[in-house]
Amino acid sequence: MATEKLYYTDPYLKEADATVLSCTEGKDGYTVLLDRTVFYPTGGGQPHDTGLLGDAKVLDVRDQGDEGFHLCDRPLEVGSTVHGVIDWDRRFMLMQHHSGEQLVSGIVHSRFGYDNVGFHMGKEVMEVDFDCQIPWEDIAGIEEEVNQAIWANLPLKCWIPQPEELAQITYRSKRELAWPVRIVQVPGHDCCACCGVHVAMTGEVGIVKILSCVKLRQGVRMEVVCGSRAYRYLCAVWEQNRQVSQAFSAKMLETAAAAVKINETLAQEKYRAAGLQNLVFEQIAESYANQ
């Protein structure tokens, strides 16, 4: 029996009742099949949801065909009705990152014609891979355009077009896809095939910050943070810079210049100390030579 995927009907739905269709014990816990679910499974680069099914913790969620399986830490009675509640803070953070990734990938594609060949949402940052080189001097422009799209608060459209409509849509995809294909569109910025859950408006992404862009095989890998993670990251960077500004007795926006000046002074002092050390050694050697 197919599991009704409530997270596609309403990605903002945080809880719902469901019927337990099966419960199987395994080495890692109990695999529970539901007739309907608010829990998004691992897929498309986006991690699975966590939360509770009744008193049971949901440790993992996987799709097998049309069926949604939930790995729980305790058994659930087959045939019973269970109340599922997702960890909403985690889900919304993942939605922010997935929508942020789509903006980054869409704008890179429109600017350079490069393709996103993979992405991964880690515990601290999101990694996005592209198939060509992107010079660091271009990153600031990409980041600014992404954030301009966020601040424009554009609506995201997520839907499964009919075959005849799909044939008329130009969209990004890593491979050829058979119908049905779920399309996610950001007006004026991107249109791609995507199975993930997204925010309704780009403004909910909040902010996107590209942390790095390094060579990876024939392309590059970007490290990116979005939304709440970006806020926390920038707060941590601000605190570090506040401490540096105090240590250097420099204004917050002048710490780099202060660091350069201190390094130059330190280099000069090392050179002077080396000269004095050599002079002392010469005098010691001379005193021994005169004995």
Side-chain angles (χ1 to χ4, degrees):
M1 178 179 176
T3 301
E4 183 182 359
K5 300 174 181 179
L6 301 175
Y7 48 83
Y8 282 152
T9 306
D10 180 5
Y12 291 84
L13 188 62
K14 303 175 180 66
E15 54 189 283
D17 290 335
T19 300
V20 178
L21 301 180
S22 68
C23 180
T24 306
E25 184 176 4
K27 63 177 183 179
D28 297 321
Y30 297 85
T31 300
V32 175
L33 174 64
L34 302 176
D35 69 332
R36 62 205 299 259
T37 184
V38 289
F39 288 82
Y40 181 81
T42 297
Q46 182 170 333
H48 62 85
D49 285 330
T50 58
L52 294 172
L53 283 173
D55 294 329
K57 291 182 180 178
V58 177
L59 309 174
D60 194 6
V61 187
R62 300 281 175 175
D63 268 358
Q64 293 182 14
D66 292 332
E67 296 178 322
F69 292 91
H70 308 68
L71 181 65
C72 299
D73 68 343
R74 64 192 66 185
L76 295 173
E77 182 182 352
V78 176
S80 66
T81 298
V82 64
H83 189 66
V85 181
I86 63 172
D87 180 343
W88 173 249
D89 289 342
R90 183 176 186 274
R91 157 71 80 79
F92 187 66
M93 179 271 294
L94 294 173
M95 289 166 62
Q96 287 180 313
H97 276 75
H98 211 148
S99 300
E101 175 274 323
Q102 182 165 344
L103 284 169
V104 171
S105 297
I107 286 169
V108 167
H109 184 76
S110 64
R111 281 192 171 211
F112 307 105
Y114 303 159
D115 290 321
N116 171 331
V117 292
F119 86 102
H120 169 71
M121 297 185 200
K123 290 183 178 180
E124 300 297 332
V125 300
M126 175 173 65
E127 297 173 339
V128 189
D129 298 341
F130 295 95
D131 59 0
C132 287
Q133 297 296 310
I134 302 175
W136 179 252
E137 52 267 27
D138 290 329
I139 295 301
I142 295 169
E143 185 179 273
E144 181 176 1
E145 187 174 348
V146 168
N147 284 292
Q148 290 289 347
I150 290 170
W151 302 329
N153 201 27
L154 303 169
L156 280 80
K157 180 181 179 182
C158 306
W159 83 109
I160 298 177
Q162 292 301 311
E164 57 274 16
E165 181 187 2
L166 183 65
Q168 305 302 315
I169 298 174
T170 301
Y171 61 92
R172 292 188 299 109
S173 177
K174 297 180 180 67
R175 62 184 185 276
E176 291 292 329
L177 298 172
W179 191 86
V181 178
R182 186 168 180 265
I183 298 296
V184 179
Q185 182 183 63
V186 183
H189 293 281
D190 192 39
C191 185
C192 75
C194 180
C195 63
V197 286
H198 292 266
V199 297
M201 307 291 290
T202 58
E204 294 175 271
V205 176
I207 189 171
V208 165
K209 184 64 185 175
I210 301 173
L211 305 180
S212 67
C213 183
V214 298
K215 181 174 170 46
L216 179 70
R217 294 184 286 275
Q218 301 304 311
V220 294
R221 169 168 288 174
M222 288 184 186
E223 286 189 331
V224 184
V225 285
C226 307
S228 56
R229 273 189 183 172
Y231 170 74
R232 289 193 296 271
Y233 181 89
L234 294 173
C235 284
V237 170
W238 183 91
E239 176 58 24
Q240 289 289 316
N241 196 43
R242 185 190 66 81
Q243 295 179 34
V244 171
S245 72
Q246 288 183 343
F248 288 173
S249 297
K251 294 180 179 179
M252 291 280 283
L253 296 180
E254 297 174 0
T255 51
V260 169
K261 183 177 180 181
I262 287 177
N263 281 335
E264 290 174 348
T265 300
L266 182 60
Q268 292 172 1
E269 289 301 312
K270 285 182 177 180
Y271 180 78
R272 189 172 72 87
L276 291 173
Q277 188 178 55
N278 290 335
L279 180 60
V280 170
F281 288 158
E282 290 173 2
Q283 290 176 347
I284 293 173
E286 184 179 348
S287 67
Y288 278 108
N290 293 331
Q291 290 182 0

